C-alpha cells in the first residue's frame, strides 16, 4: 500500500483513523475506523454523498461508532497499530 498515491483527504482519513485507534486504545484498523474518519471530514466527499442520497448520516455515524467501540482494546505503551486483513483486501480491491 503506497500512501503517496492517495489524495490528501484520504491521507488525512488514514491519519485520523490512527488517532482514533490511539484514542480508543485499539490496535487493529478496521474498515469502520477508516469509514468513520472519512465521514467526520467536514468538507469531505462521504458526508456530501450521504446528504445528497438523503441518507440518515447521523444514524449511520452512530452505527459505525458502535461498531468501532465494540472492537477489542489493548493496554500498555508502544502498541503499534496495524491494518486488518479485511481492510487491506478492500484497499487492494479498490486499487485494481
Amino acid at each position: 500500500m503506497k500512501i503517496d498515491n492517495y489524495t490528501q483527504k484520504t491521507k488525512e482519513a488514514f491519519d485520523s483513523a490512527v488517532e482514533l485507534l490511539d484514542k480508543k486504545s485499539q490496535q487493529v484498523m478496521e474498515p469502520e475506523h477508516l469509514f468513520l474518519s472519512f465521514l467526520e471530514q467536514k468538507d469531505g466527499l462521504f458526508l456530501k454523498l450521504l446528504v445528497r442520497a438523503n441518507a440518515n448520516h447521523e444514524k449511520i455515524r452512530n452505527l459505525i461508532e458502535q461498531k468501532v467501540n465494540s472492537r477489542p482494546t489493548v493496554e500498555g505503551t508502544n502498541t503499534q497499530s496495524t491494518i486488518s486483513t479485511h481492510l487491506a483486501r478492500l484497499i487492494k480491491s479498490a486499487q485494481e
Side-chain angles (χ1 to χ4, degrees):
M1 180 175 87
K2 294 181 182 179
I3 195 107
D4 294 339
N5 295 339
Y6 296 130
T7 65
Q8 185 61 35
K9 288 292 184 190
T10 302
K11 292 175 188 178
E12 290 171 6
F14 272 102
D15 289 342
S16 178
V18 170
E19 289 175 14
L20 180 60
L21 287 173
D22 289 342
K23 180 181 172 186
K24 301 286 186 182
S25 298
Q26 297 173 337
Q27 192 171 22
V28 181
M29 186 187 301
E30 296 287 349
E32 294 84 6
H33 293 96
L34 190 57
F35 186 89
L36 189 58
S37 295
F38 275 118
L39 191 58
E40 291 181 346
Q41 290 178 337
K42 299 292 183 215
D43 57 345
L45 184 60
F46 272 48
L47 184 57
K48 289 177 185 175
L49 288 173
L50 291 174
V51 168
R52 186 167 226 184
N54 292 320
N56 186 339
H57 58 86
E58 287 300 323
K59 184 175 183 178
I60 293 169
R61 178 188 319 247
N62 289 337
L63 291 171
I64 297 297
E65 284 177 346
Q66 288 175 9
K67 186 78 170 171
V68 166
N69 290 334
S70 72
R71 296 286 175 198
T73 59
V74 294
E75 293 183 25
T77 58
N78 297 330
T79 56
Q80 186 172 356
S81 58
T82 61
I83 294 176
S84 72
T85 304
H86 186 204
L87 180 56
R89 284 187 200 137
L90 287 173
I91 293 168
K92 183 178 179 183
S93 177
Q95 290 174 337
E96 293 175 351

